[in-house]
Amino acid sequence: MPIHLNDLDIISEIAGLKSALIVPCYMCPAVTVAVREKRPFLQLFRHFLKSDPFEQYITTLQSRLMEQGVQTDIFKSMPSHEWLMCMWPARKRKKLQKRAEQYDAVIVLGCDSATETVRDAIKSANCRVIEGMEVSGIMNAEIRFRFPGNISFENGSNVPIKRPVREQLIQ
């Protein structure tokens, strides 16, 4: 199942920036947003391979950033095998590095692995990496296919990831 993510308030982190590249993972964050809004993750015959709730989420984020004076663009991931940022091929990472050089910051919409992918890809670019979401657990849900080609995740819950307590690791 996908990783469940919570939004982070990035407004304080963008203070003083003029531009940002939004780099979304198109799987786990998109599923999280669709489940949260109780909407289909995909509508194959309406928006083929695009999650409408997630696209609207990104548009709203861009508007919020524009209100703060930050110009934004989105780093798109197509074809669908490149949706999972944690598995991007080298060519995709190189494209990201070139694009990131034109921005003050990169805002990652994804898990810790997505953020690491971005950090690794842009390490020679002179821009900040800002996490736009954080992991809160693993999503447990039922996938549903409904006419006319809607794919939804229903009856979902967030299963927290149990991590060892730091003191237990030290002992």
Side-chain angles (χ1 to χ4, degrees), residues 141-153:
E142 299 170 17
I143 192 166
R144 296 271 194 238
F145 299 95
R146 298 203 191 283
F147 184 77
N150 292 350
I151 301 171
S152 298
F153 291 87

Side-chain angles (χ1 to χ4, degrees), residues 42-50 146-151:
L42 292 175
Q43 294 176 295
L44 297 175
F45 297 114
R46 188 166 181 216
H47 305 281
F48 185 69
L49 297 182
K50 282 189 178 184
R146 298 203 191 283
F147 184 77
N150 292 350
I151 301 171

Side-chain angles (χ1 to χ4, degrees), residues 4-10 29 32-33 36-37 54 57 61 64 108-110 131-136:
H4 187 273
L5 301 156
N6 288 332
D7 300 338
L8 294 174
D9 184 9
I10 61 170
T32 296
V33 170
R36 178 173 61 212
E37 296 182 6
F54 192 51
Y57 174 89
L61 176 61
R64 287 183 59 221
V108 181
L109 300 179
E131 292 181 85
M133 297 179 139
E134 68 179 351
V135 173
S136 68

Side-chain angles (χ1 to χ4, degrees), residues 13-134:
E13 291 201 52
I14 62 159
L17 298 179
K18 292 184 179 16
S19 63
L21 180 63
I22 299 171
V23 184
C25 178
Y26 284 92
M27 184 53 71
C28 298
V31 171
T32 296
V33 170
V35 168
R36 178 173 61 212
E37 296 182 6
K38 296 179 172 60
R39 295 174 56 198
F41 165 60
L42 292 175
Q43 294 176 295
L44 297 175
F45 297 114
R46 188 166 181 216
H47 305 281
F48 185 69
L49 297 182
K50 282 189 178 184
S51 178
D52 192 45
F54 192 51
E55 295 295 325
Q56 290 174 4
Y57 174 89
I58 293 170
T59 300
T60 300
L61 176 61
Q62 282 187 289
S63 295
R64 287 183 59 221
L65 294 170
M66 285 289 287
E67 289 171 3
Q68 302 296 316
V70 179
Q71 297 292 319
T72 63
D73 199 4
I74 303 165
F75 188 74
K76 302 275 185 183
S77 293
M78 286 305 211
S80 61
H81 75 276
E82 292 183 351
W83 277 2
L84 299 164
M85 195 185 304
C86 56
M87 293 190 261
W88 276 358
R91 186 170 66 232
K92 184 74 168 191
R93 294 170 192 234
K94 206 173 263 277
K95 268 187 186 178
L96 174 59
Q97 180 185 10
K98 278 192 172 297
R99 287 281 305 281
E101 291 170 354
Q102 303 166 28
Y103 297 88
D104 297 331
V106 171
I107 299 169
V108 181
L109 300 179
C111 68
D112 298 347
S113 182
T115 301
E116 185 61 28
T117 296
V118 171
R119 275 197 181 104
D120 185 54
I122 70 165
K123 59 184 160 200
S124 66
N126 189 20
C127 68
R128 284 182 34 206
V129 175
I130 299 171
E131 292 181 85
M133 297 179 139
E134 68 179 351

